[in-house]
Amino acid sequence: MLCHDCPRMCGVDRKTQIGFCGEGDKIRVAKVIENFMWEEPLVSGNKGTLAIFFSGCSLRCEYCQNYQISHIGKGEVYSPKQFADFLKSFDYSKYDSIDFITPTHFSSCLMSALSIFKPPVTLVWNSSGYERAETLEKLLPFVDVFLFDLKYFSSELSGRLSKAADYFEVASKAVKFVAENKKEEVDEKTGVMQEGVIVRHLVLPGEIADSFKVLDFLAEEKNVIVSLMQQFTPIGKGEKERKLLPLEFKAVLAHAEKVGIKRGFYQEEGCADQTFIPKF
Ligand code: SF4
């Protein structure tokens, strides 16, 4: 079948050809971290999440913090049936959720796997937000929490850094779609989200004017929890060569308050360090 899983719409046969995401027709897992505590508290809970990092990416930002797996690609490959068996092998009493990290380009295979076995904890779809509405509609029965990025407003910026000039147009529609379809529900005892939408925004050095516009949009989305991140770490390639300045992040936080964003998270200062990037 020709692949149209993501907005790149490559239309390639992934059995024999590789599209923009760099991955074939098997699910490739780069790393698994059990009891991972570095997501928002609504996802990590007290026990941590079962974090599954997939290899490849449909966005491939030039400053990617997980460059080793998103651009180079590595890991074990699984058919949908094998991946369902792999998911069955974990003891879910040990985690508060399961976190599919960068899963978009494996959407079809993952839905096949999840129709065989869906883990009995909150399933989190942790993606760039660059998602096709048609794919999201099919994902709704399988996914409990959509944890999206909303990276850019400017098409010039998204074109330059992620080769996706249509990023905001596509991702803003994706946010609206999931916000309409996943009403927030949080387990009172554990504090873990059972259903809902969290939208992350990583503030980029020198781009706070763009962050303001992203926040202006998010301020209108009342069914979304906003998570502001300042962990940008230069990876030694691409145009972004410095960390975010504390003053830049403060200005973004002040703008969030100004436009009325009251519910959400923000990262503490001091998190922009290589030690916060898992080793792959
Ligand atoms: S998932 Fe990969 S091959 Fe399929 S449309 Fe997206 S980038 Fe292209």
Side-chain angles (χ1 to χ4, degrees), residues 3-12 14 19-21 58 104-105:
C3 184
H4 299 106
D5 272 6
C6 87
R8 300 282 181 195
M9 301 281 282
C10 302
V12 296
R14 287 174 60 174
F20 184 90
C21 58
S58 53
T104 307
H105 51 296

Side-chain angles (χ1 to χ4, degrees), residues 171-191:
S172 59
K173 276 190 198 143
V175 168
K176 278 184 177 295
F177 177 79
V178 292
E180 272 163 24
N181 284 283
K182 289 283 169 191
K183 300 299 173 214
E184 188 181 320
E185 197 186 319
V186 176
D187 185 308
E188 283 178 19
K189 274 196 208 134
T190 62

Side-chain angles (χ1 to χ4, degrees), residues 1-14 104-108 111 131-136 138:
M1 208 164 71
L2 306 182
C3 184
H4 299 106
D5 272 6
C6 87
R8 300 282 181 195
M9 301 281 282
C10 302
V12 296
D13 178 353
R14 287 174 60 174
T104 307
H105 51 296
F106 293 122
S107 296
S108 295
M111 284 187 273
E131 301 273 6
R132 281 189 77 201
E134 292 81 350
T135 306
L136 288 176
K138 292 183 204 152

